[in-house]
Amino acid sequence: MKVLVINCGSSSLKYQLIDSETEQALAVGICERIGQEVSYLKHTPNGGDKVVLETSMKNHEIAVSMVLEALINDSYGVIKSLDEIGAVGHRVVHGGEKFAASTIITDEVIKAIEGCNDLAPLHNPANLIGIRACANLMEGVPMVAVFDTAFHQTMPPKAYLYGLPFDYYEKHKIRKYGFHGTSHSYVSKKAAEFAGLDIENSKVIVCHLGNGASISAVLNGKSIDTSMGFTPLSGLVMGTRSGDIDPSIIEFISKRENKTIDQVMNLLNKESGVWGMSEVSSDFRDINVAMDSGNEKARLAFELFVYRVAKYIGGYVAAMNGVDVIAFTAGVGENDHKVREWVCEYLGYLGVTIDLEKNKARGVEIMLTTPESKVKVCIMPTNEELAIARETVALL
Ligand code: AMP
């Protein structure tokens, strides 16, 4: 079956058409600047050149229709007719407590996703726009919602509750949800398999280190804790997000800098993290270059990032009373050997020894530890789109 995977943001729409039998992406692309005067469709057929179309996409429905046109286009399309698309898999950011697994999209499911809108006001409405646009343009094609939060619904209350008055959980559902669930689920399973473990009897820590970054503790195939929380702002220091801070800082900044709560939240989400600390970039490639040329702030940002990762790993080793395999994934985790090396330097107490030559690898599935290492450490590339396509096919 050919599955169209859609990841719809407020002004962008990423897509992949995946052949579920071969698990190959037949085409990948993105619509950017939807709703603006000038929009772009960037479409790359498998084995072909990237095509960039400059056009105007007033809304997401127009964007979806342009994606469908690109997929059947005579010169850069990859299928002859839209009838070849057997299903659509949608990434949905927040499923609240309602969704502990992926689900076939019905009117009721759409209402339930809408019910989670206030938990992810920037993301869920955009995801729903994508779902509705596809429903209008691809009548009768089954659709599946795959939630970023679902995998973490197995966390026990002691991991997901905050130390707030209990009725804030009951009234407002304030709790840890966790994100990047599709990636944590996919990578933890693959890492356990790769390490030769029986998933039902395994302790895996997944370090999803990208522009957004989170760590999870996966015990016997189930997430029991993760570093992102009520929103994706908590936990690790990220590209532009602060990660964990003392909540009192919000009031303090607000008063000292005469900023509204919205402005402080914007600061914590978009102007902090590695970017805010280094004053160089949110991209680890730039941070590495700056560090190498002696930039102290870039070095501090890098050190803080690594230190926080190592501390979360330590916390999750305690939570699981041990660990069998630690997997690095996503843009930084798969590519930045220095991040992996420096994190592993903190893990001597676990008996971790990595092979520095192997650690130079990038973006490939590889075991980094030496045979005598007590805990295995690997790179396990994530593939959220493939995971969404698999979930979609499995449900149908
Ligand atoms: P992601 O959010 O998973 O797409 O990851 C994006 C991030 O990966 C970028 O912002 C970079 O910081 C990082 N990244 C990508 N390639 C490299 C590389 N070769 N070396 C270090 N970091 C990289």
Side-chain angles (χ1 to χ4, degrees), residues 77-94:
V78 291
I79 48 176
K80 292 212 167 60
S81 142
L82 294 180
D83 296 340
E84 290 180 47
I85 301 176
V88 185
H90 289 272
R91 176 185 182 210
V92 179
V93 166
H94 219 306

Side-chain angles (χ1 to χ4, degrees), residues 3-66:
V3 182
L4 180 60
V5 175
I6 298 274
N7 179 357
C8 202
S10 55
S11 66
S12 71
L13 186 154
K14 291 188 203 147
Y15 64 92
Q16 284 196 13
L17 185 67
I18 294 179
D19 183 329
S20 66
E21 270 104 62
T22 61
E23 301 208 322
Q24 281 288 314
L26 304 174
V28 304
I30 183 167
C31 302
E32 290 173 331
R33 298 169 159 263
I34 299 170
Q36 297 189 27
E37 204 105 306
V38 182
S39 327
Y40 299 94
L41 172 75
K42 297 176 180 171
H43 172 88
T44 311
N46 186 18
D49 292 332
K50 186 195 259 188
V51 184
V52 180
L53 300 175
E54 190 179 310
T55 158
S56 168
M57 302 179 205
K58 285 206 186 79
N59 56 47
H60 287 73
E61 197 160 322
I62 295 174
V64 173
S65 71
M66 293 206 56

